[in-house]
C-alpha cells in the first residue's frame, strides 16, 4: 500500500516533490496501489485528464497503480517497479523507463512517445494498439508480450529479448531493429526483426522442422551482385559452377513475395544459407543488402569477390572488421572455375572451425 505521507507530498506538485526527493536521496517512496486519477490527480484543462509533468519517480514502488487516461510529460521512472499496473489509454512523452519493470501490466492503447525503455522489463504486458513511436528498446525484455497492431514507428530495437512474444500486424515504419534474442536465456540465437522471431523460434524448437532446415542450410548458397546484362552473365556462371559441386545456389534475380520488399526477402534467404557470395563489381544494391545481412548473421560466412580490374566501394571497409566476412578474392571473368574453387574452400573451412 502507498505511504500516506508520500501521497500528500506528491499532491503538492512536481517542484515540492522533486525537492523532497533531493533532500531524501536514500529513501524509496511508495505510491503503490494508488489511483492517479482519484487519489493524486491534477486536471489537464483541455482533455480533462490528470497531468503530471517533470516528476522524479525514479527508484519507487509503483506496483499495481491505476493511471488510466493520465498524462505524464518528461517524468523519470528509471529503476522503479510498475508491475501489475493498469495504465491503458495514458499518454507518456519523453519519459525515461530505464532499468524499470512494468511486468504483467496492462498498457493497451497507451501512447509512449520518445520514451526510453533501455534495460527495462515489459514481459507479460498486454500492449494491443499501443503506440511506442520514437522510443528506444535496447536490451529490453519483451518476453511473452501481446502485441497486436502495436505501433513501433521510428523506434530503435536492439538486443531485445522476445521469447514467447505474440506479434500481429505490427507497425514498424522507420524502425531500426537488430540482434533480436529469441531464447528465454542466453544470447546464441538472434534474428533481425521481431516479426521473424516467431517463425525462427518455431523452426529451431521443432525437431522435424529443424532437420529440414539443417539439410537446407547445409546446401544453400546466396549469390549477391549487380544484375546488368554483363554482370548477370558472370553471376550465372558462378551459380552453374556451384550447382555442379552439389550446392543449391540462389541468385536473387526473381520477383520477391508480394508482402515483402527486396531487402526483407534477401534477409530471409540469408537466414537459410550456408554462406554468401557477394560480388562487389559495379555495386548498386549490394551495399544496402550487406548492411542488413552482415551485422545480423554472425554464423554466416560472407565471401566478397570482385573482378580484378575493379576496386571495392569505399564503405565496404567497415565490414572487414566482422570476423565472418572473409578476405576478398579478385577474379578474372574467363576463369570462374578457379574462383568458385577458392570460394568454397574458404567458406567450408570457416564453417568447419565453427562446428
Amino acid at each position: 500500500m502507498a505511504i500516506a505521507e508520500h501521497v500528500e507530498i506528491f499532491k503538492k506538485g512536481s517542484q515540492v516533490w522533486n525537492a523532497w526527493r533531493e533532500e531524501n536521496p536514500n529513501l524509496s517512496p511508495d505510491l503503490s496501489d494508488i489511483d492517479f486519477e482519484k487519489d493524486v490527480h491534477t486536471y489537464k484543462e483541455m482533455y480533462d485528464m490528470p497531468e503530471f509533468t517533470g516528476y522524479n519517480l525514479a527508484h519507487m514502488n509503483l506496483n499495481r497503480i491505476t493511471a488510466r487516461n493520465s498524462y505524464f510529460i518528461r517524468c523519470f521512472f528509471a529503476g522503479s517497479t510498475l508491475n501489475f499496473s493498469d495504465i491503458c489509454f495514458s499518454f507518456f512523452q519523453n519519459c525515461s523507463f530505464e532499468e524499470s519493470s512494468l511486468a504483467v501490466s496492462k498498457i493497451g492503447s497507451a501512447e509512449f512517445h520518445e520514451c526510453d525503455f533501455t534495460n527495462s522489463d515489459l514481459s507479460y504486458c498486454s500492449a494491443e494498439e499501443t503506440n511506442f513511436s520514437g522510443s528506444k528498446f535496447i536490451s529490453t525484455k519483451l518476453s511473452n508480450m501481446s502485441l497486436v497492431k502495436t505501433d513501433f514507428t521510428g523506434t530503435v530495437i536492439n538486443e531485445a529479448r522476445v521469447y514467447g512474444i505474440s506479434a500481429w500486424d505490427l507497425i514498424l515504419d522507420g524502425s531500426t531493429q537488430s540482434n533480436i534474442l529469441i531464447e528465454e536465456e542466453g544470447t546464441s540465437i538472434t534474428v533481425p526483426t521481431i516479426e521473424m522471431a516467431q517463425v525462427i523460434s518455431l523452426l529451431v524448437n521443432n525437431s522435424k522442422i529443424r532437420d529440414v532446415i539443417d539439410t537446407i542450410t547445409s546446401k544453400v548458397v546466396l549469390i549477391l551482385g549487380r544484375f546488368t546484362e554483363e554482370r548477370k552473365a558472370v553471376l550465372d556462371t558462378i551459380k552453374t559452377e556451384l550447382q555442379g559441386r552439389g550446392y543449391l545456389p540462389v541468385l536473387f534475380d526473381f520477383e520477391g513475395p508480394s508482402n515483402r520488399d527486396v531487402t526483407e526477402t534477401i534477409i530471409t534467404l540469408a537466414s537459410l544459407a550456408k554462406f554468401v557470395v557477394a560480388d562487389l563489381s559495379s555495386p548498386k544494391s549490394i551495399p544496402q543488402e550487406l548492411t542488413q545481412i552482415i551485422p545480423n548473421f554472425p554464423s554466416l560466412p560472407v565471401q566478397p569477390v570482385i573482378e580484378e580490374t575493379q576496386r571495392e566501394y569505399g564503405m565496404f571497409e567497415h565490414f572487414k572488421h566482422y570476423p565472418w566476412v572473409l578476405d576478398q578474392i579478385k577474379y578474372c571473368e574467363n576463369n570462374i572455375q578457379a574462383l568458385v574453387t577458392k570460394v568454397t574452400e574458404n567458406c567450408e573451412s570457416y564453417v568447419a572451425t565453427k562446428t
Side-chain angles (χ1 to χ4, degrees):
M1 295 292 292
I3 297 176
E5 176 189 359
H6 298 173
V7 175
E8 291 305 314
I9 297 172
F10 189 87
K11 289 180 179 180
K12 295 179 180 179
S14 60
Q15 290 185 345
V16 173
W17 172 264
N18 292 342
W20 177 72
R21 293 296 308 274
E22 290 181 5
E23 293 171 0
N24 299 273
N26 297 321
L27 184 67
S28 297
D30 188 342
L31 297 182
S32 59
D33 295 288
I34 68 170
D35 186 322
F36 271 74
E37 182 172 3
K38 296 179 180 179
D39 299 334
V40 295
H41 69 279
T42 57
Y43 281 101
K44 182 177 178 63
E45 182 177 349
M46 182 179 298
Y47 299 102
D48 196 35
M49 293 180 177
E51 179 183 310
F52 306 95
T53 301
Y55 276 85
N56 178 3
L57 301 172
H59 303 289
M60 290 181 56
N61 181 354
L62 295 169
N63 292 329
R64 299 176 302 278
I65 65 168
T66 299
R68 284 189 169 226
N69 300 300
S70 300
Y71 269 66
F72 294 88
I73 314 297
R74 298 187 305 280
C75 290
F76 197 61
F77 294 91
S80 291
T81 59
L82 297 88
N83 302 325
F84 301 98
S85 295
D86 183 352
I87 52 179
C88 294
F89 303 102
S90 287
F91 181 93
F92 298 82
Q93 176 76 46
N94 293 121
C95 293
S96 172
F97 292 90
E98 293 183 73
E99 299 184 350
S100 64
S101 178
L102 292 84
V104 205
S105 289
K106 298 177 182 178
I107 59 175
S109 298
E111 299 195 29
F112 298 87
H113 293 273
E114 299 179 354
C115 294
D116 190 348
F117 291 93
T118 299
N119 291 314
S120 63
D121 183 358
L122 281 74
S123 56
Y124 292 96
C125 280
S126 56
E128 297 82 1
E129 299 186 343
T130 303
N131 189 331
F132 290 109
S133 297
S135 296
K136 292 196 302 184
F137 299 86
I138 300 174
S139 298
T140 307
K141 189 173 183 180
L142 307 176
S143 301
N144 299 289
M145 285 188 73
S146 174
L147 304 174
V148 180
K149 297 183 179 179
T150 308
D151 192 343
F152 289 98
T153 299
T155 56
V156 175
I157 308 172
N158 182 38
E159 296 186 353
R161 192 172 296 280
V162 297
Y163 174 84
I165 201 168
S166 174
W168 298 87
D169 296 326
L170 303 186
I171 303 170
L172 293 159
D173 300 338
S175 66
T176 301
Q177 302 184 71
S178 58
N179 300 318
I180 308 299
L181 300 161
I182 66 173
E183 296 176 299
E184 190 168 16
E185 301 293 341
T187 59
S188 59
I189 302 178
T190 64
V191 294
T193 67
I194 290 177
E195 290 182 311
M196 190 180 291
Q198 293 179 109
V199 176
I200 300 302
S201 179
L202 173 65
L203 296 179
V204 300
N205 289 295
N206 185 302
S207 58
K208 291 184 179 180
I209 296 178
R210 186 165 62 247
D211 290 342
V212 174
I213 296 302
D214 285 343
T215 301
I216 293 174
T217 55
S218 68
K219 297 293 183 181
V220 171
V221 177
L222 176 60
I223 304 173
L224 303 176
R226 184 76 180 272
F227 296 129
T228 59
E229 184 176 349
E230 178 184 1
R231 301 309 318 158
K232 178 66 163 51
V234 175
L235 299 178
D236 281 336
T237 305
I238 294 174
K239 178 179 179 180
T240 300
E241 282 290 331
L242 286 167
Q243 284 177 329
R245 299 169 193 235
Y247 293 98
L248 299 174
V250 177
L251 183 60
F252 185 53
D253 58 346
F254 51 88
E255 184 177 353
S258 60
N259 62 339
R260 288 289 181 267
D261 63 24
V262 172
T263 300
E264 290 176 315
T265 304
I266 289 291
I267 290 172
T268 301
L269 293 173
S271 68
L272 297 174
K274 185 174 188 179
F275 58 87
V276 175
V277 180
D279 191 346
L280 308 182
S281 308
S282 305
K284 185 178 180 181
S285 60
I286 195 168
Q288 168 65 16
E289 293 163 356
L290 293 180
T291 297
Q292 297 299 317
I293 292 173
I294 291 174
N296 293 306
F297 293 92
S299 61
L300 178 67
V302 175
Q303 176 64 73
V305 302
I306 191 167
E307 203 277 325
E308 61 184 2
T309 64
Q310 297 199 29
R311 298 178 62 183
E312 67 187 39
Y313 64 91
M315 295 301 290
F316 185 77
E317 181 71 23
H318 167 73
F319 293 129
K320 294 180 179 179
H321 298 291
Y322 292 88
W324 49 94
V325 177
L326 308 182
D327 291 339
Q328 185 182 112
I329 302 174
K330 288 184 174 290
Y331 68 88
C332 177
E333 292 182 10
N334 60 10
N335 195 6
I336 299 301
Q337 185 176 14
L339 168 66
V340 173
T341 297
K342 185 63 175 175
V343 166
T344 55
E345 287 177 352
N346 285 359
C347 292
E348 291 290 356
S349 177
Y350 180 87
V351 171
T353 64
K354 300 299 178 182
T355 57

